[in-house]
């Protein structure tokens, strides 16, 4: 999962950038447009749909790209796909309207707020094969490297994944990818705990008084059957809080991956090896500040497909996802993360919340999208 090269149109030796439009003018919209601004030879934001004159004026001034007021006007710019970067309540209706217009759609997570909303959305557009959802985590260098190693058989058959990093549907997406459990049923058991925790950095920036205050930790087990399980561990604002580490464990029948260390059984005994990253811009290196590649026991397991853009690791994943979505929309590549997978992961996330709220197990059974 090392990403994709620049798209080449069939019959043409010139690479043509992936073209996308965005519905919405919030921070998620800005995130995607920023990727296109950083890599204009491979990504192009062709239009933005704003819901007010003020938002339209602000967005046009900030990015200098066409801002329109209707979906039809955005489609007139011939994007390969349209990103729905709107609020949770608005997402299903925007996605449904775009599909009705025949557009390829990339919906932000989650595609609908509730379990019933997911089912209704699937009933409306699930058969169209026109909807992907923006779940980029497994394209991040670290996760992509772990996935490559897990699928190589080095640690045997993966049986357990522990995620203390991101929340709900993102965490379950990581678990399902590494365990390869598909749409299998699951039993979810979750509990919450409150304790003082300093929280100096939030989405809005550094706080003036970082004194410890009550924060909630949610712990959940997800039993996927056949001995396969996930362990979810998330603290309020763990995404931003620099005092809280991110941890991941992938346990298999012949060893385990703990963050960037792999312990596994070989014919020569137990071997402990690191996942090693080549990063430029360190000390006297003048190649630019970015991750270049990852290797394990003498073999590359990941290469940055966006070298020279100086992207953060999350930016690499987002840009890769955009390009993969473009390949899919053009008929040149597989679905990067279909609506069915997004519905399943959000349903599992909702089950975590329900179990934590009720104190009882929640069974996630086969759904219509399975």
């Amino acid at each position: 999962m090392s990403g994709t090269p620049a798209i080449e149109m069939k019959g043409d030796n010139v690479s043509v950038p992936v073209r996308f439009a965005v519905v919405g003018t919030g921070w998620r919209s800005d995130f995607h447009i920023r990727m296109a601004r950083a890599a204009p030879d491979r990504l192009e934001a062709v239009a933005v749909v704003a819901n007010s004159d003020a938002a339209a004026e602000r967005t046009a001034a900030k990015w200098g790209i066409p801002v329109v007021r209707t979906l039809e006007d955005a489609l007139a710019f011939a994007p390969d796909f349209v990103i729905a970067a709107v609020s949770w309540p608005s997402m299903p209706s925007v996605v449904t309207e775009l599909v009705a217009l025949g557009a390829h759609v990339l919906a932000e997570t989650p595609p609908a707020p509730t379990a019933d909303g997911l089912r209704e959305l699937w009933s409306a557009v699930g058969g169209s094969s026109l909807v992907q959802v923006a779940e980029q985590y497994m394209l991040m260098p670290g996760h992509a490297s772990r996935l490559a190693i897990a699928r190589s058989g080095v640690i045997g058959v993966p049986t357990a994944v522990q995620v203390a990093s991101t929340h709900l549907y993102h965490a379950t997406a990581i678990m399902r990818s590494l365990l390869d459990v598909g749409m299998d049923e699951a039993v979810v058991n979750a509990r919450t705990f409150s304790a003082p925790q300093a929280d100096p950095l939030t989405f809005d920036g550094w706080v003036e008084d970082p004194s410890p205050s009550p924060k909630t930790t949610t712990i959940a087990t997800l039993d996927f059957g056949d001995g396969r399980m996930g362990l979810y561990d998330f603290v309020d604002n763990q995404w931003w809080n620099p005092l809280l580490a991110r941890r991941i464990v992938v346990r298999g029948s012949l060893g385990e991956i703990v963050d960037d260390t792999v312990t596994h059984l070989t014919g020569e005994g137990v071997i402990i090896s690191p996942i090693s990253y080549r990063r430029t811009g360190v000390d006297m290196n003048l190649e630019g500040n970015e991750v270049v590649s990852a290797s394990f026991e003498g073999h590359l397991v990941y290469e940055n497909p966006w070298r020279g853009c100086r992207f953060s690791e999350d930016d690499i994943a987002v840009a890769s996802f955009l390009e993969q979505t473009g390949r899919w929309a053009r008929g040149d590549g597989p679905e990067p993360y279909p609506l069915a997978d997004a519905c399943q992961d959000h349903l599992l996330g909702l089950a975590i919340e329900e179990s934590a709220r009720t104190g009882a197990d929640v069974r996630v059974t086969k759904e219509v999208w399975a």
Side-chain angles (χ1 to χ4, degrees), residues 281-347:
V282 179
D283 194 28
M284 293 297 293
N285 182 281
L286 304 180
E287 295 179 71
N289 187 15
E290 59 190 351
V291 60
V292 174
S293 61
S295 60
F296 171 71
E297 295 187 344
H299 300 281
L300 285 179
V301 292
Y302 175 83
E303 290 185 87
N304 179 0
W306 299 89
R307 278 198 70 184
C309 292
R310 302 190 183 187
F311 282 155
S312 70
E313 295 191 9
D314 190 54
D315 286 352
I316 290 170
V318 171
S320 295
F321 199 97
L322 290 174
E323 196 166 65
Q324 288 187 10
T325 303
R327 292 182 66 89
W328 159 75
R330 291 175 174 178
D332 293 332
E335 298 178 290
Y337 183 73
L339 177 61
D341 284 291
C343 289
Q344 187 72 11
D345 284 322
H346 188 39
L347 192 68

Side-chain angles (χ1 to χ4, degrees), residues 273-285:
S273 302
I275 303 173
S276 299
Y277 298 89
R278 179 169 184 258
R279 301 181 188 274
T280 55
V282 179
D283 194 28
M284 293 297 293
N285 182 281

Side-chain angles (χ1 to χ4, degrees), residues 70-302:
T70 70
L71 301 181
E72 291 85 352
D73 286 342
L75 292 176
F77 287 87
D80 294 307
F81 62 93
V82 180
I83 302 171
V86 296
S87 67
W88 285 22
S90 300
M91 188 66 70
S93 61
V94 171
V95 170
T96 301
E97 187 174 353
L98 283 167
V99 168
L101 292 170
H104 288 81
V105 184
L106 177 59
E108 274 290 356
T109 52
T114 66
D116 286 341
L118 293 172
R119 297 179 186 112
E120 291 169 3
L121 179 62
W122 182 262
S123 176
V125 304
S128 71
S129 299
L130 289 175
V131 183
Q132 302 296 307
V133 181
E135 179 57 66
Q136 81 275 12
Y137 274 76
M138 294 311 297
L139 294 174
M140 295 179 72
H143 291 317
S145 299
R146 295 178 197 104
L147 182 64
I149 293 168
R151 290 187 173 174
S152 75
V154 166
I155 61 169
V157 178
T159 57
V161 175
Q162 302 175 17
V163 179
S165 171
T166 187
H167 75 305
L168 299 173
Y169 44 84
H170 293 310
T172 60
I174 293 170
M175 292 176 187
R176 288 200 312 116
S177 293
L178 289 164
L179 291 172
D180 195 23
V181 296
M183 301 292 173
D184 294 351
E185 296 186 2
V187 177
V188 178
N189 181 284
R191 296 294 184 272
T192 58
F193 308 86
S194 182
Q197 173 69 57
D199 193 13
L201 180 63
T202 71
F203 178 82
D204 297 318
W206 293 94
V207 301
E208 292 185 5
D209 180 9
S211 299
S213 61
K215 299 296 178 184
T216 298
T217 296
T218 302
I219 304 289
T221 58
L222 292 81
D223 181 355
F224 294 104
D226 296 329
R228 301 164 302 172
M229 63 87 67
L231 177 63
Y232 173 81
D233 178 356
F234 185 76
V235 185
D236 285 348
N237 193 42
Q238 189 163 353
W239 317 278
W240 293 90
N241 193 333
L243 302 177
L244 300 176
R246 283 74 171 149
R247 300 180 302 283
I248 185 165
V249 176
V250 187
R251 184 168 298 138
S253 55
L254 296 176
E256 65 179 12
I257 305 168
V258 180
D259 297 331
D260 293 327
T261 301
V262 183
T263 303
H264 63 112
L265 183 64
T266 73
E268 299 176 332
V270 176
I271 302 294
I272 302 175
S273 302
I275 303 173
S276 299
Y277 298 89
R278 179 169 184 258
R279 301 181 188 274
T280 55
V282 179
D283 194 28
M284 293 297 293
N285 182 281
L286 304 180
E287 295 179 71
N289 187 15
E290 59 190 351
V291 60
V292 174
S293 61
S295 60
F296 171 71
E297 295 187 344
H299 300 281
L300 285 179
V301 292
Y302 175 83

Side-chain angles (χ1 to χ4, degrees), residues 48-74:
V48 176
V49 181
N51 64 1
S52 71
D53 291 338
E57 184 177 348
R58 182 181 67 251
T59 302
K62 183 174 184 177
W63 295 111
I65 61 177
V67 181
V68 297
R69 296 299 299 276
T70 70
L71 301 181
E72 291 85 352
D73 286 342

Side-chain angles (χ1 to χ4, degrees), residues 16-21 42-46 76-82 326 330:
V16 177
V18 166
R19 295 167 54 85
F20 62 87
R42 295 169 64 175
L43 300 170
E44 182 182 2
V46 296
F77 287 87
D80 294 307
F81 62 93
V82 180
R330 291 175 174 178

